[in-house]
Amino acid sequence: MPSRPKDPAAPDGFATLDLDARVLSELAALGYEEPTPIQLAAIPPLMAGRDVLAQAATGTGKTAAFALPLLHRLNTGAPPRERTAALVLVPTRELAMQVAEAIHRYGKGLGAVALPIYGGASMETQIRALKRGVDVVIATPGRALDHIRRKTVHLAAVRTVVLDEADEMLDMGFAEDLEAILAATPAEKQVALFSATLAPRISAIAKTHQRDPEVIRIDREAVKPGRASKVMQVAYMVPRAHKMSALGRILDVEHPTSAIVFCRTRNEVDQLAETLNARGYRAEALHGGLSQDQRDRVMKRFRANTSDLLIATDVAARGLDVEHVSHVVNYDVPSAGDAYVHRIGRTGRAGRSGVAITLAEPREHRMLKNIERVTGQKIEVVPVPTVADLKARRLELAQAALREVILGGELDPYRAIVAALAEEFDVLDIAAAAVKQGAASEADAEAEEIPVAAPAREKHPARERAADRAERKAAKPAKPGRVVHAASGGAVTKLYVGGGRKLKIRPGDIVGAIANEMGVDGSVIGAIQIFDRHSIVEVSEAIADEVIAALSATTIKGKKLLVRPDRAGR
Ligand code: AMP
């Protein structure tokens, strides 16, 4: 294999797999940090041209395991009839689309063209696309055979055939079609067979169509559950599109004192941190893209309890020395049983109770079963909390918080209000109204630190510091013309940041930079407007100078930007 230039931004774990630098940079752009076990096991033999017989379910990263090697055997410059170098057979239309999308993405830098062809879609459109030239055809067996019989697909140049979810294809009655398709491809070819089970009928196909395959089984060995046994384990089945909002709701109900949320990719980590911050959590992102210095700061804040949620990739969380967390959340089903055990071992320490929550897409059900099998423990599948559950839980939390406030005393200043209202209303009604007001405007309550939020006070030192400073400053006469009033009531100032849409800056990037550098949360930041070449950020006047210093010292989207008070705001 000729040596290729390595992309310095590429994730390290993939560097040993001898992948093309252009593929490596796509993986980096996707936020992949290291190969999954199936990828580590399958990529080297496939790159070497060997056949592979792999037992791996959806969710293990199996698509990249076969897709990355086949990208290195393409012939993108060939005329259309000789161009198709790989054929991937899949059981369903959905999978065909998904695999095509993945191959398109991984092979973008190589100019690879991937086409999904499946039944129920227009034959004409597929034929037109095939005529233009396709490197990888991803097909359901029935439709593939249709095209073969009509001679509208040309497989003479195929060097790799992948049977993905082979057991499913057999279950769906495609055995004969598979035979016919395989017979229509060149005798000299690499065959990769992926299946959730290695049942005898799969072995039979392997025997007929493979030559000395490398056999790979992931998760066969049971792992020692160890600490995991003290942890309550639950899973929520959530369709991909609803995962973010489901997680928000689950966290609202679970109310963790401190939690680590594990994601597969850097991009997911960043997105999730942004979303959860917007939801009022103090979430910090931790992934391999951060410098050691940034990581240390994130960890310091998490240990000091200035953040409630640590959103991390496995790589970044490895070797993390965290004493105890109340919850471990798997935003995706981990790609192997031991990764799961390792992750959830971070909760339930020292005899304390812990909760492990896993969000699984319906199609990842089998992965979940796999994990149950290797850990020998049951993971209870529970429904996502409803809005009604959430409301009930909020009231419960409000009740607990009130109880603490009452026991804490120092209520005299408020008694006067109650006494005044009691002349007009029933005391129970007054109390109920106070609770309603607190529960209805939770976000406002936090920002304004009304007594209901009192138990959370120790958990929010940074926020309080910023709020205190804002209060002190706000008490001084503000400079005329610079002041606008924020929802929080403090004085705010507008800052000019010398970058905007053209640099793909989003509000979350600015909030993230301020939060990261200063250890404060989003509540000290007001409206953010992004223009083509600049952005305007409103911050509490009290901390404006600090924000300018902090943003000037860091980078946003990898660039140092000019940050100064906005002249138009004066
Ligand atoms: P699959 O098992 O192929 O359906 O992949 C499951 C998910 O894992 C997909 O969303 C992939 O994008 C993602 N994925 C695959 N490989 C990796 C990796 N090495 N690191 C992070 N995510 C990955």
Side-chain angles (χ1 to χ4, degrees):
M1 186 72 49
S3 77
R4 303 187 177 90
K6 297 281 181 234
D7 181 335
D12 280 343
F14 284 100
T16 53
L17 296 176
D18 210 17
L19 300 170
D20 190 286
R22 289 164 291 180
V23 174
L24 286 177
S25 42
E26 277 312 319
L27 299 180
L30 281 165
Y32 291 11
E33 294 200 325
E34 61 173 1
T36 64
I38 184 70
Q39 290 162 8
L40 273 179
I43 292 175
L46 286 173
M47 290 289 280
R50 290 195 53 196
D51 287 355
V52 158
L53 169 59
Q55 181 242 315
T58 294
T60 54
K62 66 181 167 69
T63 311
F66 64 73
L68 298 179
L70 67 76
L71 288 173
H72 294 78
R73 302 164 67 82
L74 301 184
N75 200 357
T76 49
R81 282 171 172 256
E82 296 151 38
R83 185 164 167 177
T84 303
L87 172 68
V88 182
L89 295 168
V90 297
T92 64
R93 161 203 172 109
E94 287 71 33
L95 195 58
M97 290 195 285
Q98 253 171 47
V99 171
E101 172 61 33
I103 293 180
H104 169 76
R105 185 76 210 251
Y106 300 142
K108 218 166 19 180
L110 302 175
V113 176
L115 179 72
I117 59 178
Y118 43 79
S122 146
M123 209 56 191
E124 290 313 309
T125 315
Q126 292 175 356
I127 291 170
R128 268 201 303 277
L130 285 165
K131 270 194 180 148
R132 279 195 297 270
V134 173
D135 298 296
V136 188
V137 169
I138 302 99
T140 50
R143 185 53 71 99
L145 207 52
D146 242 5
H147 279 285
I148 290 172
R149 290 193 175 133
R150 294 182 189 210
K151 300 198 183 343
T152 43
V153 66
H154 299 278
L155 301 175
V158 162
R159 304 166 72 189
T160 303
V161 174
V162 180
L163 305 181
D164 188 15
E165 305 203 347
D167 47 352
E168 286 280 317
M169 290 198 281
L170 294 186
D171 284 348
M172 292 168 75
F174 284 134
E176 276 177 26
D177 288 2
L178 290 182
E179 290 298 331
I181 296 165
L182 283 164
T185 55
E188 266 309 300
K189 63 181 174 279
Q190 177 182 48
V191 177
L193 205 161
F194 282 72
S195 174
T197 64
L198 293 188
R201 57 214 176 110
I202 301 289
S203 310
I205 297 189
K207 218 167 191 170
T208 325
H209 295 283
Q210 292 193 304
R211 217 171 306 163
D212 181 29
E214 170 97 8
V215 181
I216 299 166
R217 289 164 186 254
I218 296 294
D219 272 349
R220 280 217 70 216
E221 300 300 312
V223 289
K224 281 215 177 76
R227 285 197 192 95
S229 51
K230 299 194 195 80
V231 177
M232 182 179 140
Q233 301 171 50
V234 294
Y236 296 90
M237 285 287 161
V238 192
R240 177 133 217 103
H242 298 286
K243 277 173 95 170
M244 290 256 178
S245 46
L247 178 63
R249 201 179 279 179
I250 292 163
L251 288 172
D252 286 352
V253 169
E254 286 284 331
H255 208 65
T257 46
S258 71
I260 304 184
V261 181
F262 285 99
C263 298
R264 279 196 184 123
T265 68
R266 289 179 190 180
N267 299 5
E268 257 173 11
V269 166
D270 282 336
Q271 268 176 24
L272 211 53
E274 196 177 306
T275 309
L276 291 170
N277 272 308
R279 210 182 162 98
Y281 284 97
R282 295 164 316 156
E284 296 261 13
L286 187 76
H287 56 59
L290 303 180
S291 68
Q292 189 56 46
D293 217 37
Q294 287 171 314
R295 283 195 227 183
D296 290 347
R297 261 180 288 169
V298 167
M299 282 317 297
K300 214 166 123 193
R301 289 196 288 270
F302 187 62
R303 283 202 199 95
N305 248 349
T306 18
S307 53
D308 331 287
L309 302 175
L310 191 64
I311 322 289
T313 55
D314 281 309
V315 175
R318 198 161 292 153
L320 263 194
D321 176 25
V322 182
E323 258 302 288
H324 174 79
V325 293
S326 63
H327 291 65
V328 167
V329 181
N330 298 302
Y331 188 62
D332 292 289
V333 184
S335 55
D338 54 353
Y340 176 85
V341 171
H342 192 250
R343 285 178 179 186
I344 74 168
R346 296 181 182 282
T347 186
R349 292 197 169 182
R352 287 191 264 185
S353 62
V355 181
I357 292 170
T358 301
L359 270 64
E361 293 172 44
R363 69 191 184 98
E364 290 170 334
H365 190 72
R366 203 189 273 269
M367 276 295 291
L368 217 52
K369 289 277 157 226
N370 229 3
I371 289 174
E372 281 187 339
R373 192 169 51 78
V374 298
T375 59
Q377 292 180 337
K378 182 106 191 85
I379 302 174
E380 195 189 347
V381 177
V382 293
V384 174
T386 60
V387 174
D389 293 337
L390 189 58
K391 280 189 181 151
R393 179 68 175 147
R394 283 207 173 124
L395 290 179
E396 220 176 273
L397 291 170
Q399 188 174 351
L402 272 177
R403 177 180 283 275
E404 285 203 35
V405 174
I406 296 167
L407 293 174
E410 298 181 18
L411 295 173
D412 286 346
Y414 307 96
R415 276 179 200 279
I417 299 175
V418 179
L421 285 169
E423 302 204 343
E424 219 180 320
F425 305 103
D426 177 57
V427 176
L428 257 184
D429 281 343
I430 300 168
V435 176
K436 181 179 174 188
Q437 193 193 16
S441 56
E442 257 208 350
D444 295 345
E446 281 202 16
E448 293 179 19
E449 289 162 1
I450 63 165
V452 171
R457 282 181 77 93
E458 287 99 56
K459 281 182 66 194
H460 296 267
R463 181 183 295 183
E464 276 169 23
R465 267 202 314 277
D468 281 353
R469 277 196 298 252
E471 239 168 59
R472 278 202 302 279
K473 274 265 184 144
K476 291 182 195 167
K479 286 179 200 153
R482 284 189 72 195
V483 180
V484 280
H485 286 283
S488 63
V492 305
T493 241
K494 289 189 182 185
L495 302 183
Y496 169 97
V497 179
R501 229 171 274 140
K502 290 242 169 348
L503 290 181
K504 298 202 166 50
I505 290 177
R506 291 170 306 164
D509 299 320
I510 296 176
V511 175
I514 297 175
N516 255 335
E517 289 303 310
M518 297 179 55
V520 296
D521 67 13
S523 67
V524 297
I525 305 163
I528 296 180
Q529 288 170 279
I530 309 279
F531 299 92
D532 272 353
R533 292 174 197 286
H534 74 285
S535 306
I536 299 294
V537 189
E538 290 182 353
V539 297
S540 298
E541 186 179 9
I543 58 159
D545 290 345
E546 268 179 77
V547 173
I548 292 174
L551 284 184
S552 305
T554 187
T555 56
I556 300 180
K557 286 277 178 210
K559 293 223 161 29
K560 278 235 177 250
L561 301 177
L562 170 69
V563 185
R564 56 165 168 75
D566 178 36
R567 293 196 183 108
R570 295 193 167 195

